[in-house]
Amino acid sequence: MSIKFKNVSYIYSPETPMAKKGLDNVSFELKDGSFNAIIGHTGSGKSTLMQHFNALIKPATGKIEIAGTTITPETTNKNLKDLRRHVSLVFQFPETQLFENTVLDDIAFGPKNFGYDNEKALESARYWLKKVGLSEEIGKRSPFELSGGQMRRVAIAGVMAYEPDILCLDEPAAGLDPEARKQMMALFSDYQKDGHTVILVTHNMDDVAKYADNVLVMEQGKLIKQDTPTEIFKNRKWLQEHHLEEPKASLFAAKLTNYKFTKMPLNINSLVKEIEDNLKG
Amino acid sequence: MSKILIGRYVAGDSIVYRMDPRGKLLATILFILFVFLANNPISYIIVTIFSLAAVAATKLKPKIFWDGVKPLIWLILFTSFLQLFFTVGGTVYWRWTIFALSSYGITNAIFIFIRFTVIILISTVMTVTTKPLEIADAIEWLLKPLKLIRIPVDKIALVMSIALRFVPTLFDETFKIMNAQRSRGADFNNGGLVTRAKAITPLLVPLFINSLETAIDLSTAMESRGYRGDKGRTKFRVLKWSNVDFINLFYFVLLLGLLLVFRTH
């Protein structure tokens, strides 16, 4: 059930004066159970690409194979429910999608749509409410009484409650406090380790370095590179040319000019280890 | 939804774009009133030439205007059809129960068809060449006399420009929420009338909440930037009449003159 994009292009409002290219001949393949990060500048086509994963938008040309479904420009809007049960999207600021009277009902909305019966949907809702770090008492409250961060957790629980095989996240931690950010990222990482595929759109290179095992770099609608984080962050000049940031650990390592690094450290743990090795040797 | 052209601005550069929005709004209103003066072939030809000249002056692709007429084409054809078969008088060519095809019917149908089309064309010229905010300014200027009867024109204008400013934002928001709910299995396109009406709840509730929150945030932001009601506020977007606008309005007075001359009494 790997994900395959073949020569996918997308044009916004085609055949009008406002036509604009969103994706330009994008091809790649993602492995099952991998943690993928999509990075790139604002307007580079990350969100456009993401909405292709569950056919919210369909390619203008090309073909997508995902979760046993093939999406082509001719795909109709009918019968996409099965695809969306397997591939789910968490949009930026997902707290705007809450609408039910109670938190539990809101989380159970997705499972119910995908054929869970009432009891099972609520059970799953209770389980995921706990998983995102909220107490059972909150389940009975209205989602609109919660703080922004709590609403975010509820919204994310609502998408994970039917356990999609492929979870796509668009800046899920934007605007969260550091502690909540860490918790959320750990939750996604655990989810991936349970055998699901996670696709993360982000501007935070530390998250990329820490969690991802495959990185896609977008620029002006084109996919300019796909590789492991180590390879992506190896070439500083290339990163600067494409206006991409580096993880803080490798930035710091670059400042330590009198130290020798066998491998550019991408996170704090490996940075500390490398420094220790240097001091010893 | 993206097909609707009314209220959409298309960027371009021609003399029509540089005109004062007040002039354009006045001209559009005048034109719609004047069209009803036309009552014979010559006057309809004059009206058609006038509107086509306005279309040509925008220097935009004709397809844009065809897009403007397209959504209303059934209404136009339906009205013309009624005129065609239900007008009695003149030479009758064909009759069947209540339907009749007469010379009066044919001319009336053609007239109605032209009338509809030119009104849509002229309004499209106005909306595609004028930014929504400029239209709001023009409406504010037109409403100014109402100040005399204590209608809060400034406040109405502010409400109008805020509303216009948030149309695209709300549109984007609507699409985003729709997509988010679709991702968790909501279905907006299938089922009967009742199912569909129910399916809208996950869209409408968040949209209302978001609009209210935006309103509260915006009003706080306005107050913190020194807004204290409409008294003593100055205007940043100042509209200026130029020669082009006087010539534009002159053309429409000319149209009135021509129509009055060639009109049969």
Side-chain angles (χ1 to χ4, degrees):
Chain A
M1 273 226 294
S2 65
I3 301 163
K4 244 187 243 168
F5 271 58
K6 227 177 144 194
N7 305 99
V8 173
S9 295
Y10 183 76
I11 300 160
Y12 280 104
S13 22
E15 289 166 50
T16 66
M18 282 80 79
K20 192 178 163 285
K21 216 160 203 181
L23 285 185
D24 193 355
N25 204 15
V26 173
S27 305
F28 60 86
E29 210 178 319
L30 304 178
K31 274 194 236 74
D32 248 7
S34 55
F35 198 116
N36 306 279
I38 303 177
I39 59 173
H41 246 243
T42 330
S44 59
K46 302 187 296 286
S47 299
T48 315
L49 177 65
M50 215 184 72
Q51 290 182 52
H52 280 83
F53 284 113
N54 70 354
L56 283 174
I57 52 185
K58 277 143 233 142
T61 58
K63 199 169 92 175
I64 303 165
E65 276 170 45
I66 189 166
T69 310
T70 307
I71 308 165
T72 60
E74 291 81 33
T75 306
T76 54
N77 276 326
K78 292 216 165 98
N79 310 322
L80 286 176
K81 222 166 183 171
D82 190 50
L83 171 69
R84 289 183 182 149
R85 198 229 162 291
H86 293 294
V87 187
S88 206
L89 252 61
V90 177
F91 283 83
Q92 247 177 70
F93 303 106
E95 54 271 29
T96 53
Q97 73 196 36
L98 304 178
F99 73 99
E100 283 278 15
N101 289 326
T102 71
V103 167
L104 271 184
D105 281 340
D106 206 287
I107 301 177
F109 176 71
K112 271 187 216 158
N113 282 331
F114 292 119
Y116 286 52
D117 61 48
N118 227 354
E119 201 39 56
K120 227 182 131 211
L122 282 174
E123 194 185 303
S124 168
R126 259 178 238 120
Y127 174 75
W128 281 98
L129 186 69
K130 212 194 270 167
K131 271 279 223 182
V132 295
L134 295 175
S135 70
E136 210 162 299
E137 181 266 327
I138 282 181
K140 294 182 207 94
R141 304 220 326 239
S142 156
F144 303 111
E145 291 171 8
L146 307 179
S147 77
Q150 288 172 321
M151 282 166 86
R152 176 80 58 90
R153 285 157 193 258
V154 171
I156 288 173
V159 174
M160 296 176 84
Y162 47 92
E163 301 195 21
D165 297 325
I166 298 163
L167 180 67
C168 310
L169 305 147
D170 193 349
E171 287 277 359
L176 287 184
D177 62 76
E179 190 52 40
R181 174 184 202 101
K182 227 186 259 169
Q183 269 182 28
M184 284 287 111
M185 290 307 299
L187 176 74
F188 302 139
S189 187
D190 288 346
Y191 192 68
Q192 179 238 342
K193 281 173 193 136
D194 286 346
H196 304 96
T197 311
V198 173
I199 298 163
L200 172 76
V201 171
T202 187
H203 287 288
N204 189 313
M205 298 303 157
D206 290 322
D207 286 346
V208 176
K210 194 168 174 195
Y211 301 103
D213 42 45
N214 181 34
V215 185
L216 304 168
V217 187
M218 298 289 297
E219 192 176 81
Q220 291 182 340
K222 288 195 182 82
L223 176 72
I224 54 169
K225 203 165 188 170
Q226 182 191 5
D227 220 324
T228 58
T230 328
E231 288 298 315
I232 293 277
F233 293 121
K234 211 183 198 171
N235 192 345
R236 309 195 70 199
K237 218 176 136 217
W238 185 84
L239 289 171
Q240 271 161 13
E241 266 167 30
H242 296 280
H243 309 284
L244 294 167
E245 271 180 55
E246 286 176 72
K248 284 194 198 79
S250 67
L251 270 180
F252 188 80
K255 290 240 163 86
L256 301 171
T257 41
N258 51 343
Y259 283 63
K260 277 204 185 67
F261 295 102
T262 43
K263 193 175 114 208
M264 188 57 98
L266 293 182
N267 56 47
I268 291 179
N269 289 342
S270 59
L271 177 70
V272 170
K273 205 181 156 294
E274 290 280 338
I275 292 175
E276 271 178 355
D277 289 350
N278 266 290
L279 290 174
K280 272 183 217 156
Chain B
M1 250 182 273
S2 55
K3 291 265 163 58
I4 299 166
L5 196 80
I6 296 165
R8 188 201 282 171
Y9 170 78
V10 179
D13 183 36
S14 64
I15 198 158
V16 187
Y17 280 91
R18 288 187 288 273
M19 280 181 194
D20 192 301
R22 293 171 294 181
K24 280 191 265 187
L25 185 64
L26 267 183
T28 310
I29 296 169
L30 289 178
F31 183 83
I32 292 167
L33 294 176
F34 293 167
V35 163
F36 292 96
L37 287 175
N39 63 355
N40 59 10
I42 299 172
S43 51
Y44 270 102
I45 289 170
I46 295 171
V47 165
T48 314
I49 291 172
F50 250 84
S51 58
L52 288 180
V55 168
T58 62
K59 288 192 186 161
L60 289 168
K61 283 192 202 114
K63 192 181 170 293
I64 292 173
F65 295 96
W66 167 235
D67 285 345
V69 177
K70 215 162 38 180
L72 296 166
I73 196 80
W74 290 111
L75 180 69
I76 300 175
L77 288 179
F78 178 69
T79 321
S80 304
F81 173 83
L82 288 186
Q83 289 290 333
L84 189 60
F85 289 109
F86 291 102
T87 314
V88 212
T91 338
V92 178
Y93 302 113
W94 177 77
R95 187 186 282 279
W96 178 71
T97 57
I98 52 165
F99 295 102
L101 195 64
S102 64
S103 58
Y104 272 31
I106 292 169
T107 44
N108 258 353
I110 295 171
F111 285 173
I112 286 283
F113 184 81
I114 295 176
R115 193 181 285 176
F116 256 116
T117 319
V118 292
I119 289 177
I120 296 168
L121 279 183
I122 289 287
S123 343
T124 314
V125 168
M126 161 92 193
T127 52
V128 290
T129 62
T130 319
K131 291 183 184 125
L133 269 182
E134 290 182 334
I135 297 179
D137 286 340
I139 295 173
E140 181 193 1
W141 177 80
L142 270 185
L143 291 180
K144 259 192 185 146
L146 295 180
K147 261 187 182 170
L148 294 175
I149 50 167
R150 295 212 182 158
I151 288 174
V153 175
D154 304 295
K155 275 183 189 155
I156 295 174
L158 183 74
V159 168
M160 247 179 347
S161 36
I162 291 177
L164 281 170
R165 160 66 188 76
F166 278 95
V167 168
T169 313
L170 278 177
F171 235 65
D172 287 351
E173 194 73 8
T174 312
F175 273 111
K176 215 196 104 182
I177 296 171
M178 226 165 150
N179 276 341
Q181 308 295 26
R182 267 200 197 123
S183 284
R184 34 181 204 155
D187 195 348
F188 296 104
N189 299 325
N190 292 319
L193 207 61
V194 182
T195 332
R196 279 196 200 202
K198 270 187 192 156
I200 280 183
T201 321
L203 177 65
L204 278 190
V205 173
L207 207 55
F208 268 117
I209 302 238
N210 285 351
S211 316
L212 289 176
E213 272 172 4
T214 314
I216 293 166
D217 288 348
L218 180 72
S219 58
T220 320
M222 281 169 69
E223 276 187 349
S224 59
R225 292 212 273 165
Y227 181 80
R228 294 283 178 278
D230 48 3
K231 283 255 162 59
R233 282 195 83 210
T234 53
K235 270 191 91 64
F236 177 66
R237 288 193 308 275
V238 183
L239 302 173
K240 242 177 107 186
W241 290 98
S242 67
N243 286 339
V244 186
D245 301 303
F246 291 114
I247 296 169
N248 177 30
L249 283 176
F250 166 76
Y251 275 126
F252 283 88
V253 176
L254 184 74
L255 173 67
L256 174 67
L258 284 173
L259 286 179
L260 286 177
V261 170
F262 288 102
R263 193 179 139 83
T264 39
H265 294 278

